[in-house]
Amino acid sequence: MSWYRNTVWFVNFVCEDTRSGYESASKHFNPADVEVDVAGRSFLVTGANSGIGKATAKEIARRGGTVHLVCRNEERAEVAKGEIVTETGNQNIFLHVLDISNPKEVWKFAEKFKEEHKLNVLINNAGCMVNNRELTEDGLEKNFATNTLGTYVLTSALLPLLETAADARVITVSSGGMLVQKLDLSDLQSGSGTFDGTMVYAQNKRQQVVLTEQWAKAHRNIHFSVMHPGWADIPAVRSSMPDFYEKMKNSLRTEAQGADTVVWLALSPEATKFPSGLFFQDRQSVATHLPLAWTHSPPEDEEKLMEVLEEFSQKFKCTCPG
């Protein structure tokens, strides 16, 4: 089975996910889709100090949007903010220091943000791939805490703000790696068996797809989408997959190419003509399961994921002052 998974992933990568795949797809893009003025609209981008997050924030800033950068490392985030302001001339760039893997802090941040700001578009980009099992200070496996629970808590906490906004959208940056994973609720924190960081990450990304589909059903006033950026030359790939990076670095997409569909989903009127809850690559909705795949889950499992994450979420919310 691992041979099958790896083969499928590699074939998918070679065919569509490289720079050449983007260049082929982009021939069919309509540049006017993203030539929009979004002055007065507010965007929150997590993991915005580098890679796809920074590239996304920069493109939104170029079009006049108010951008909230949510980053873990203050020093790197200040550099990124300065670069965005300098290159775009947009002064409406705000920095918030937050570790998405800390659900208590995510709750505190979201409650404060709701009191002080408006929000039209949430972009869940922050993520990690830790190759050895690590626990956060709350005893949570780090990949799960960042990619799944952090995404769930932040989005859930900001939903009331988004519900009142015009043309509200939530975009989550997933990965095509999720195609090799079926939703598995038996070991959400990867505490049993051999720990494989790549497959844990892929499972988290499958979970993000399920979250998006479930949110879309429950919140009709918000347009939800999840996307695969392709394999891009970003710091996370270099640090988490060094052998892969060395072999493929000449074929990887640029950061801007990886961010293109995020920007399109966040800005374009065309994006919301698609039904809410879909998975996208290169500005098109694509299937969330490969043909003849074993990755389909029963609806009750997908609903159970939401229940379990809500239990986790409320547990950490209760520890917040007030």
Side-chain angles (χ1 to χ4, degrees):
M1 185 61 72
S2 62
W3 174 87
Y4 171 76
R5 293 180 185 178
N6 292 336
T7 299
V8 167
W9 199 348
F10 179 75
V11 169
N12 190 54
F13 168 84
V14 170
C15 292
E16 299 178 354
D17 296 356
T18 59
R19 186 187 310 159
S20 61
Y22 173 84
E23 291 169 350
S24 176
S26 66
K27 294 175 183 178
H28 306 286
F29 292 173
N30 181 357
D33 283 359
V34 292
E35 291 174 359
V36 293
D37 183 352
V38 290
R41 285 177 64 76
S42 176
F43 301 77
L44 189 156
V45 185
T46 66
N49 65 279
S50 66
I52 289 168
K54 186 173 77 171
T56 298
K58 194 176 294 184
E59 291 306 313
I60 293 170
R62 290 189 203 281
R63 292 157 176 81
T66 296
V67 185
H68 296 272
L69 312 175
V70 176
C71 308
R72 183 179 59 181
N73 184 292
E74 184 171 10
E75 183 178 353
R76 290 200 294 264
E78 288 286 3
V79 172
K81 176 185 174 182
E83 180 183 322
I84 292 168
V85 170
T86 299
E87 290 191 20
T88 69
N90 187 338
Q91 298 295 320
N92 293 318
I93 311 300
F94 301 93
L95 174 59
H96 310 272
V97 178
L98 175 68
D99 185 345
I100 296 294
S101 73
N102 187 325
K104 293 191 294 289
E105 294 303 316
V106 174
W107 268 117
K108 291 177 185 177
F109 163 77
E111 294 303 318
K112 187 171 186 290
F113 188 90
K114 287 188 289 188
E115 293 175 358
E116 299 177 353
H117 305 283
K118 72 171 190 173
L119 183 64
N120 298 96
V121 180
L122 168 62
I123 300 172
N124 291 310
N125 167 72
C128 72
M129 183 194 295
V130 178
N131 290 313
N132 296 304
R133 191 172 189 272
E134 296 180 18
L135 300 183
T136 69
E137 63 182 41
D138 296 305
L140 299 168
E141 190 277 315
K142 195 167 186 179
N143 292 295
F144 169 78
T146 305
N147 302 327
T148 301
L149 184 59
T151 297
Y152 179 86
V153 173
L154 182 63
T155 305
S156 297
L158 293 176
L159 282 174
L161 190 58
L162 289 160
E163 289 278 11
T164 65
D167 189 16
R169 309 184 190 190
V170 175
I171 300 107
T172 299
V173 178
S174 182
S175 168
M178 66 89 193
L179 290 168
V180 303
Q181 285 285 312
K182 177 180 179 179
L183 179 65
D184 182 3
L185 302 180
S186 66
D187 189 20
L188 285 176
Q189 299 202 61
S190 310
S192 62
T194 303
F195 187 89
D196 183 336
T198 303
M199 286 299 124
V200 170
Y201 177 82
Q203 173 66 207
N204 295 160
K205 294 302 174 176
R206 168 62 70 186
Q207 292 160 1
Q208 290 179 342
V209 170
V210 173
L211 289 179
T212 299
E213 293 169 346
Q214 294 297 309
W215 280 324
K217 293 176 184 177
H219 302 277
R220 302 289 185 176
N221 295 331
I222 303 169
H223 191 270
F224 292 87
S225 55
V226 61
M227 60 81 66
H228 173 40
W231 291 103
D233 189 349
I234 58 175
V237 171
R238 291 174 224 148
S239 62
S240 298
M241 306 173 71
D243 293 340
F244 172 83
Y245 175 75
E246 281 302 314
K247 291 176 182 177
M248 303 304 301
K249 61 185 178 183
N250 294 327
S251 300
L252 297 177
R253 297 180 178 205
T254 66
E255 293 177 345
Q257 289 171 344
D260 177 81
T261 295
V262 187
V263 174
W264 180 80
L265 288 166
L267 303 181
S268 175
E270 294 301 310
T272 53
K273 292 180 180 178
F274 287 86
S276 183
L278 298 183
F279 182 69
F280 288 84
Q281 181 173 355
D282 292 332
R283 303 193 189 183
Q284 288 294 324
S285 64
V286 294
T288 56
H289 301 278
L290 294 169
L292 305 177
W294 47 276
T295 54
H296 293 271
S297 301
E300 54 266 29
D301 282 4
E302 297 177 355
E303 294 165 4
K304 182 65 175 177
L305 174 66
M306 304 301 284
E307 294 173 7
V308 171
L309 293 178
E310 182 62 17
E311 290 173 6
F312 268 111
S313 176
Q314 291 302 317
K315 170 186 172 184
F316 290 106
K317 182 181 183 181
C318 292
T319 65
C320 296

